[in-house]
Amino acid sequence: MTAQIIDGKALADELRQSFKARVEALAARGQRPGLVVILVGEDPASQVYVKNKVNGCLAIGMHSEKITYDAAVDQATVLKKIAELNADPAIHGILVQLPLPKHFDEEAVLEAIAADKDVDGFHAENVGALAQGNPRFIPCTPYGVMKMFEQGKVDLSGKEAVVIGRSNIVGKPMALLLINAGATVTVCNSRTKDLAGHTRRADILVAAVGKPKFVTADMVKPGAVVIDVGINRLPDGKLCGDVDFVGCREVAGQITPVPGGVGPMTITMLLANTIEAAERKAGIR
Ligand code: NAP
């Protein structure tokens, strides 16, 4: 069996087109959605991510700006800027690009963002709301994965789901979303014994490990839905996921590619969260 491909790029394009009308409806009410991205330091990967986020907003008529600081900036300066943005009615979403330089207390910075502008969904209040099954902002990557399940008509209720990875930005919120959707969820980490024993039971397998081609065909249950969150750069410069795509697509029922899978959905859901924030403020949601 060759798996059906869940095309994240096509779904992302379709969603972004559909957002334009919502943006214009908000603009007509004087609430054009606005996102500010704060970047500290010169990490090349972060610079690319931030550029893509700002351009993604501008392409669908949203307002967006980037605020950059030298890596040596003190935390108080960044917190002061966040306080200003929290009070700015033209800004609906604030995002601090991670990772921050070592002298920053990352948690304190994320907590400083007003919970109703926390479009990354990393604020403790929003994490709590998600855990309670009443999410306000869903972290963008797992939110994108849920949209892909919707697109692939994957019924999660009663399914065995296995998530490899327990990070705050992917693994944990992914697990919570799957629990909320009625799946039976196992979350694996680097200390998990007999990982393949778990993954082979999975109707839904989500890999968020950060290791190229980590999930091999023998770890996949025939017909499973395999979601590859990983983005790894190979020595030849090519991008590669956490799943051995060529091998696993012969076993899986549905699979996401890298590139062109979860990646394009992440920024799309950031746009969605910012639009949702503006809609809430305008009393539409
Ligand atoms: P992370 O914080 O490094 O977490 C990786 C997780 O994988 C950890 O929980 C770790 O376990 C687990 N792990 C490592 N080795 C393992 C093993 N041998 N067996 C089982 N579990 C193992 O990474 P992340 O931020 O979640 O990101 C994961 C991947 O997704 C990366 O490739 C990243 O680039 C990518 N990513 C993609 C997007 C996107 O838009 N597509 C967004 C975010 C991240 P421990 O907790 O025990 O260490």
Side-chain angles (χ1 to χ4, degrees):
M1 173 168 62
T2 300
Q4 184 191 331
I5 309 288
I6 307 179
D7 185 341
K9 170 84 175 61
L11 178 57
D13 288 347
E14 192 186 306
L15 286 171
R16 290 187 200 205
Q17 282 304 320
S18 76
F19 292 163
K20 287 182 180 169
R22 287 166 67 190
V23 170
E24 288 319 312
L26 283 159
R29 290 169 169 244
Q31 292 281 351
R32 186 175 294 280
L35 173 74
V36 169
V37 186
I38 297 175
L39 173 64
V40 183
E42 288 85 35
D43 176 58
S46 292
Q47 285 177 340
V48 173
Y49 293 143
V50 168
K51 191 175 101 194
N52 290 342
K53 287 169 185 176
V54 171
N55 288 346
C57 288
L58 299 177
I60 59 165
M62 289 167 59
H63 167 73
S64 185
E65 52 191 284
K66 172 178 83 167
I67 297 175
T68 50
Y69 292 102
D70 188 84
V73 70
D74 63 346
Q75 180 165 307
T77 304
V78 176
L79 291 180
K80 185 164 170 278
K81 176 52 76 180
I82 291 174
E84 274 169 40
L85 296 167
N86 283 342
D88 184 341
I91 299 306
H92 304 90
I94 304 167
L95 180 160
V96 176
Q97 184 67 39
L98 301 178
L100 286 166
K102 294 233 176 323
H103 64 282
F104 274 79
D105 174 351
E106 204 163 276
E107 201 185 319
V109 173
L110 295 179
E111 295 304 303
I113 298 171
D116 62 352
K117 296 190 179 187
D118 165 42
V119 285
D120 252 343
F122 297 160
H123 192 290
E125 206 178 292
N126 291 322
V127 176
L130 173 62
Q132 288 182 329
N134 189 21
R136 179 160 47 186
F137 291 113
I138 301 173
C140 303
T141 301
Y143 193 5
V145 174
M146 294 305 281
K147 284 282 168 198
M148 295 173 100
F149 288 140
E150 225 177 276
Q151 156 88 359
K153 299 197 168 31
V154 178
D155 181 12
L156 299 167
S157 179
K159 297 286 165 55
E160 285 285 339
V162 173
V163 180
I164 318 178
R166 56 171 167 172
S167 71
N168 288 337
I169 63 167
V170 190
K172 273 187 213 159
M174 186 75 251
L176 287 172
L177 287 164
L178 289 164
I179 290 169
N180 293 346
T184 303
V185 183
T186 304
V187 185
C188 301
N189 60 63
S190 62
R191 295 167 207 187
T192 299
K193 294 192 175 76
D194 188 21
L195 179 68
H198 290 288
T199 61
R200 276 192 214 111
R201 284 189 293 104
D203 303 307
I204 314 288
L205 179 59
V206 181
V209 192
K211 295 189 173 164
K213 301 186 188 178
F214 180 79
V215 175
T216 47
D218 58 310
M219 295 168 72
V220 175
K221 177 178 174 178
V225 179
V226 178
I227 304 289
D228 189 353
V229 177
I231 302 179
N232 307 292
R233 183 79 58 187
L234 295 174
D236 65 4
K238 287 194 182 136
L239 284 185
C240 150
D242 289 344
V243 172
D244 173 23
F245 180 80
V246 173
C248 291
R249 83 173 157 194
E250 299 306 325
V251 184
Q254 295 184 63
I255 191 166
T256 64
V258 177
V262 176
M265 289 299 293
T266 296
I267 294 183
T268 303
M269 301 326 291
L270 172 67
L271 307 182
N273 276 344
T274 308
I275 294 168
E276 286 170 21
E279 286 174 342
R280 263 182 228 125
K281 189 157 174 245
I284 298 175
R285 291 180 83 82

